[in-house]
Amino acid sequence: MSELREAGQLDSLIEPTIIERAEQPYLGKTFMVALDSLYRMMDVLALMHRDMLASGVKPAGSPFLKYHGMITGHRSVQVEAGIPVESFLRTLEGTHCRELPAGRYATLVHSAHPSGLMDATGQLLEWAGQQGMQWDAGLTADGLRWGCRLEIYHAGVLTADNGGWEIELAIRLAD
């Protein structure tokens, strides 16, 4: 995605589109979060970013939230705060190293406050459905489980006033 940003192409992704993503190692922390408290994850991303820089670990991309799944019968979601790194050199206290999977992703860039993400996600899901696309997702005993569903915060989350939002929604498609 950094290649798209450098080429100035990220801003032109107004309509939903399909992109290929390579595998990407990252440092992450996993949480069970009430739906009405998701906004607090912005603070988690900012603290992780600060701790990484203080420890000499350089981010290799924009911070993200990775949604694992919705637990049936609950108003909570399992979500992972993550920041890309170049390689699995070391972790910070309380974090783990994992890898975002390579593959085809349906994407949409939301250039407004995160309060509009639910509508933007609905737009992406509806568009993909109209195209006959299948998600890398499945039902488990606990509920819906996503293979890789991301909110990538290219701008906004790490600034003091959280202004100038640019959030890429990216959901992996089934092979």
Side-chain angles (χ1 to χ4, degrees):
M1 188 50 53
S2 60
E3 298 84 17
L4 288 176
R5 173 174 285 292
E6 291 170 4
Q9 295 175 6
L10 190 60
D11 296 331
S12 67
L13 299 179
I14 298 168
E15 295 293 320
T17 191
I18 305 298
I19 63 168
E20 287 283 337
R21 297 180 65 89
E23 291 178 335
Q24 175 66 62
Y26 67 93
L27 288 178
K29 289 184 179 183
T30 304
F31 300 88
M32 194 61 137
V33 181
L35 291 176
D36 61 358
S37 299
L38 276 171
Y39 68 91
R40 293 184 179 164
M41 295 303 293
M42 302 304 108
D43 293 335
V44 172
L45 287 171
L47 288 171
M48 283 179 63
H49 187 262
R50 184 200 67 200
D51 291 348
M52 284 177 70
L53 293 177
S55 298
V57 179
K58 184 179 177 191
S62 299
F64 61 85
L65 296 179
K66 180 181 181 199
Y67 291 87
H68 291 283
M70 186 78 135
I71 306 302
T72 302
H74 291 85
R75 300 258 327 134
S76 59
V77 63
Q78 185 181 25
V79 64
E80 189 174 9
I83 300 179
V85 293
E86 289 296 325
S87 62
F88 297 124
L89 295 177
R90 61 184 165 141
T91 63
L92 303 175
E93 185 176 336
T95 65
H96 51 258
C97 283
R98 294 197 178 132
E99 196 165 62
L100 295 175
R104 293 178 336 122
Y105 286 74
T107 68
L108 175 72
V109 175
H110 176 72
S111 298
H113 190 272
S115 61
L117 281 173
M118 187 175 292
D119 289 339
T121 301
Q123 180 184 349
L124 180 59
L125 294 171
E126 181 180 336
W127 174 82
Q130 291 170 349
Q131 307 297 317
M133 297 175 188
Q134 299 294 313
W135 301 116
D136 176 15
L139 289 176
T140 69
D142 292 329
L144 181 64
R145 186 90 175 153
W146 293 96
C148 192
R149 178 178 167 183
L150 305 170
E151 288 176 4
I152 306 166
Y153 291 83
H154 295 293
V157 74
L158 299 178
T159 59
D161 65 354
N162 289 341
W165 292 96
E166 186 177 275
I167 306 159
E168 178 188 1
L169 303 174
I171 306 174
R172 188 170 190 265
L173 297 168
D175 294 329

